[in-house]
Structure formats: C-alpha cells, structure tokens
Amino acid sequence: MGIRIIGTGRCIPENILTNDDLEKMVDTSDEWIVTRTGIKVRHIADKDQTSSDMAAVAAKNALDNAGITADMIDLIVVSTVTPDYAFPSVSALVQKKIGARKCPCFDIEAACSGFLYALNTAYGMMASPLAYKRVLVIGAEKMTSLVNWEDRSTCVLFGDGSAAVVLENDGNPDTPDFYVAGEVAADGEVSDLLIVPGGGSAMPATVESVTGKFHTIKMGGPKTFQLAVTSMVTACRKVLEKSGVSPEEVVWAIPHQANRRIIDAVANKLGIPEKVYLNVDRYGNTSSASIGICLDELNREGKIKKGDLILAASFGAGLTWAALLIRW
C-alpha cells in the first residue's frame, strides 16, 4: 500500500543518574548493576516534566525529520504506562501541545511491548477502510515516577524518555510497506509478575497504600527473565517464518532494552548476536520508548538505509510480547 516510516524523533531528559549515584541511595554497586543488567546510566525527567511533555518533544522532532507539520497528522497513537493523568489521555495532551487538533487520538497500555503494539495497530488502521494517511506513533514513559528508590532490585533498572515515528501512506502501490510481518501476544495468567498494585480501581490511593509503596513497581525477577527470553525468541521466529526471511537477511535486531543479559540470551538463541543494537547501558529500561529510541538513533546516525530489514521484539507486564519485521 505504500505505508512507510518517514520520520523519527526522541526526547531524552537531561538529568543523568549514574550507578555511583545509586550506590549512595541503596545497597548496590556499579559492578553489581553492570554485571546483572548492563546499565551504566539512566536519564531522569524533572519533577514537573510529564510523559506528555516528553512525547510532544519527540513528536515535534519526528515531524521535523519527516518534513511535515502537525496539522497534516490524521491520527495519534501513544503507548504509555505512565500517563499524566488517569484521563485525559496522553495522546490528547500531545495533540494540544503540538497543534494537531483535527485528528483523533488514543492511548495503548501494553507496558514495554506497547510501541510494537501501537505500530501494529496504526498499520492496521491505515490499511483498513479508515485509510488514515499520516499517523504519529509515540512511546512515552516517566518510569521513575513508579520506582521505589529503596528497592535495589528494581530502582537500578528504569529510566525516562520518549520516541516517535511518523507513518505515511504515499498511495503508491509500488512502494513496499514498512510492515513486513508482525506478532503480538499476551498471557494474563502471569500478570502478577510485573505489577504496580496501587492506583487503579483494585486499590485506589489511600494513606496506607502510599506509605506501603503499593504505587511502585513490583517484579518477580527470575521467572520474568525466563519468560522474557522465551517469548521474544518465539515471536521473532514466528515473524521470520511468516515473512520467509532468514536471520541472515536481517540488518539490525532491536530487542527491548531492559537488561543486557536478556538481550544477549535472545540474540544468541536467534543466532544474530552481531546484529543487535544496544543502548541499554546509556538509558536503562525506558519501557515502551526503548525501541523507538533505538530506531531514531539508527536513523539519525545513518546506520540504516532504504530496504534494510529490522527485527524488533519486546516483552512487558501483562505479560505481553511482540515482534515486528520492519522494512526501512
């Protein structure tokens, strides 16, 4: 259909939290963090900097990269687990902040898999009778707003940031779609492995819920690691099988940047360790922003060219997972 990615952008907060900084906050060390996660620094949003603020900056950067203006956007889809408010949506706030006020917008909540869920959804809506011509897809997270800074097993993992891509249908049937093949999946039976118990209808905010830190991330580490590797490898293999593409034809692999050991395990099982793009050491886990940040870095550094095949995969709370084979 001629649906392609025409622009990318990102927003990375200026404040940096190093492993040495964390040593002063909890019982941990740079060696412990790097050995177990590969993370060296992460970026932290200002207290008054929201997910929609970062999303709007990433969106403007993507629009500039695409060479179009906000009033040309027909739909905005935002993936986030850290919205500014329960409602309105982050996408509605972004619409206001960038001046794209004539388009519909909505949020997706699929945790770290959200960006790929959003790309799958946006492509489907562009290819449907709705026929949106230009769509802005954003992953935006202020993960540090959910962190318990006394829990060394989770506080070392997360950082903040946002990334965006602009999709356009140029109407030329001879233009290959960016979307080659995709896979999205979930297993709610293990939904308690990654959870923020407080803040929703199951546990509205109370003095007790706040003092008990029920509004922060709780994670079951070992089982999460195992399921993350298995789910991403399975999804990638399905996508490659659907598309008839071999691992050797993939130019870049972008696993969700959660943990270096998970990334290495996935790459080794797929037989493509030399093709993996890594930035987890510089950002930590930015949830649904991570794959988009990687794409923007690759794009702006000239490391991808027209026709290159990029295999992206993610997993997140839910448990959700997804993979997408992208043609640049």
Side-chain angles (χ1 to χ4, degrees), residues 228-241 245-250 252-256 262-276 311-314 322-325:
V229 174
T230 301
S231 62
M232 285 200 290
V233 169
T234 300
C236 285
R237 287 174 174 164
K238 286 184 177 180
V239 164
L240 292 172
E241 182 179 356
V245 171
S246 68
E248 293 73 25
E249 295 174 89
V250 173
W252 286 105
I254 307 178
H256 168 48
I262 292 174
I263 293 170
D264 288 345
V266 170
N268 288 332
K269 285 181 179 293
L270 291 173
I272 51 173
E274 74 286 354
K275 299 184 177 185
V276 169
L311 180 62
S314 59
L324 180 61
L325 186 63

